[in-house]
Amino acid sequence: MSTRPSQHTDAFAVVAVSNVLGGLFSTLQNIVVSTGVFIWDFFLAIFNLITPNHPSNRVVPQGYAGAGGLWPKYVPAGPGDSRCSCPALNAMANHGILPHDGKNITFRQLNATVRSTYNFAPSFCYFVPNHIATILDRSYWTGVFDLSDIDVHNGIEHDASLTREDSIWERDQGKVSVTLTERLLKSGTGPNGDLTPADLSRLLAERRAESKANNPQYSQALQHALFGSANSSTMLTIFGGKVADLRPFLLEERIPDDWQPRTTTRMGLTMAAFNGTVLPVELGIKKFTVPKAKAKTA
């Protein structure tokens, strides 16, 4: 009598159990790592409260690109260069802080360069690249990526962006929507037309209504909504909402001459401090009643 069916069943069971245990181990590992990063971030936030800030004109450390406001030469992306939906990363590539072609970047390299360029806290600079590596199923410690790789839909890239058309309409998320970006830049109600948290809440409410009406594949789960608010909030934290700086940064993906990050805390922008901006922006969206957007016609 043949025992092959039983052998196949046993083999399947072993593989299934191994996959389940591997998934549980990975989940537990992620929970432990995330908890450790949040604790680390909390203590960095406390340290920022009790130590003096950097001088506003000397936020970027000496010896790094951008120190004293001296940024490497700006060279726009050319044919074959990889770019993504994040203006901050594209600008770094355009200035050669990341490889100009936007390819074969290590996650650890991203960590270090984002920290020195924009003054994010080291906890923040580990958490985000590690999250990207997880989305791409690559190793944070040894993996590499191209900028365009991070635009896996509903990973970090999401519908209803303030500067990009939804991916259903524009597959190349490295491409800036001039129409959307100009609308953003002209919407500030702060001094000198600068952007405020309420401005971002209003604009995000409008974009989500438009996207929902026009995009048959529209999705806006909680994590995607929070990514949208977080991505937008960097314009308030790192750029202070200053439209004069945001205009070249968003339209040309160029770091303005003599620019320094507006976040001047000693250890940089922590996730704890950042959430103090992100959550009011996201919660503020509910305050705006947006007229039902008209669907696009073919």
Side-chain angles (χ1 to χ4, degrees), residues 5-6 8 11 60 62 80 115 120 140 145 165 167 174 217 263 267:
S6 177
H8 288 171
V60 177
Q62 288 298 314
R115 170 141 173 71
F120 282 96
Y140 168 82
F145 68 99
E165 297 288 351
S167 60
Q217 298 177 9
T263 296
M267 295 305 298

Side-chain angles (χ1 to χ4, degrees), residues 56-264:
S56 60
N57 63 342
R58 284 189 287 140
V59 180
V60 177
Q62 288 298 314
Y64 289 84
L70 300 176
W71 296 96
K73 183 179 179 181
Y74 166 78
V75 180
D81 290 338
S82 182
R83 295 294 185 266
C84 64
S85 56
C86 178
L89 301 187
N90 292 343
M92 291 171 67
N94 289 341
H95 285 275
I97 301 168
L98 289 173
H100 185 268
D101 65 1
K103 299 178 180 179
N104 295 312
I105 301 166
T106 69
F107 296 101
R108 298 171 74 179
Q109 179 183 16
L110 182 65
N111 177 331
T113 51
V114 167
R115 170 141 173 71
S116 63
T117 302
Y118 298 116
N119 197 32
F120 282 96
S123 50
F124 209 139
C125 290
Y126 169 77
F127 183 83
V128 174
N130 184 61
H131 180 67
I132 294 172
T134 300
I135 290 173
L136 298 178
D137 195 24
R138 299 175 192 176
S139 167
Y140 168 82
W141 301 104
T142 61
V144 298
F145 68 99
D146 297 348
L147 288 179
S148 60
D149 290 345
I150 72 175
D151 283 338
V152 176
H153 186 54
N154 283 337
I156 287 180
E157 181 274 330
H158 54 84
D159 291 329
S161 165
L162 297 183
T163 64
R164 279 6 183 219
E165 297 288 351
D166 289 358
S167 60
I168 190 174
W169 310 119
E170 177 55 70
R171 294 185 64 183
D172 181 4
Q173 287 293 294
K175 185 176 180 180
V176 179
S177 169
V178 175
T179 300
L180 290 176
T181 303
E182 285 287 3
R183 184 171 82 174
L184 165 66
L185 294 170
K186 294 175 181 177
S187 297
T189 61
N192 302 313
D194 292 336
L195 293 168
T196 69
D199 293 330
L200 292 187
S201 295
R202 183 183 72 256
L203 288 164
L204 286 167
E206 292 173 359
R207 282 290 293 132
R208 290 177 188 181
E210 292 168 356
S211 184
K212 187 174 182 179
N214 292 298
N215 182 352
Q217 298 177 9
Y218 173 77
S219 62
Q220 194 70 233
L222 177 60
Q223 68 265 31
H224 308 143
L226 290 175
F227 272 132
S229 294
N231 292 339
S232 302
S233 292
T234 58
M235 291 186 280
L236 301 175
T237 53
I238 302 301
F239 282 86
K242 302 296 182 182
V243 169
D245 291 337
L246 286 168
R247 178 167 291 279
F249 179 74
L250 295 178
L251 287 174
E252 303 173 55
E253 298 184 327
R254 173 176 63 83
I255 301 175
D257 297 336
D258 300 321
W259 181 81
Q260 293 281 279
R262 298 285 175 169
T263 296
T264 60

